[in-house]
Amino acid sequence: MKKLMLLLAIVALASLSLAADEGIVGKKGQTLPYVDQPAAPAGGTRADVEYSTTGTMDEPATTGGSSDGWGSHFIAAWANLSGQDVYVVEFGWPCGGPGPVDWVVWLTDGGMPGSPGTQTFTGQFTPTGSDPDELPPSQYSYIDVSTAGVVVPPDMVMYFGYENPGIGGQIDFNGTDTWAWYEGMWDPDQGWGRTAVLQFKGNYDTVATEPTSLSRVKALFR
């Protein structure tokens, strides 16, 4: 029995690798052909805090997931261990589709967030890339949220991401967990051999647009 389970695990891992090679954009085997893409240009300005799920800011996507086959939303988690309030000023991710769609933020004490529609902060953006069939999506959308009052207090976890406009950028799983909203749950991308490409920038000393926004956020977790 142990040998059988090991064989099944090996077959499953091989299938995930094959899926990435064949341009799988949906969890039921939906595919799109790959398109050769130039390197994505760097965007925005430096900030006190810069985080990307890839480990490198502005890293190009190498594959992607469709909105109807992979997930309607992509999210990642970032824990504020800095000891200071972090004011988010920019989000960025490669994606394609007509838009407009939502960017979303939940603040939690570490647990997974609720369903889309329950987020702590949200806004809309129109993707820079308009083609939902471009795989991988080559263009980053950079969203200026410096006036949105998104504040991450110390020791809180920010789940951040976006509504998939058609195709969302991913890379092969690199050890960083991301999730997609699929069939009524936050489905881990790790189980499918992927990591969604998501990044943000923030500062320690930006004044919140609304004077009460920081106290309002902290009050949620008393």
Side-chain angles (χ1 to χ4, degrees), residues 25-26 30 32 64-72 74 132 164 166-168 170:
V25 296
Q30 303 95 320
L32 282 176
S66 66
S67 58
D68 55 353
W70 195 278
S72 65
F74 287 148
N164 191 343
I167 188 93
Q170 300 170 313

Side-chain angles (χ1 to χ4, degrees), residues 5 16 20 24-25 43 49 67 76 87 115 120 123-124 128 132 155 204 213:
M5 295 301 294
L16 288 174
I24 300 293
V25 296
V49 178
S67 58
Y87 299 81
S115 62
T120 313
Q124 288 197 319
T128 301
D155 301 319
Y204 298 132
S213 62

Side-chain angles (χ1 to χ4, degrees), residues 88 91 103 121-123 144-151 208-210 213 216:
V88 179
F91 291 121
W103 58 264
F121 299 97
T122 191
D144 182 350
V145 294
S146 58
T147 62
V150 181
V151 187
T209 303
E210 300 179 41
S213 62
R216 178 172 61 84

Side-chain angles (χ1 to χ4, degrees), residues 16-40:
L16 288 174
S17 177
L18 180 61
D21 291 341
E22 292 185 349
I24 300 293
V25 296
K27 295 172 182 175
K28 295 180 180 178
Q30 303 95 320
T31 64
L32 282 176
Y34 281 102
V35 178
D36 290 335
Q37 303 292 352

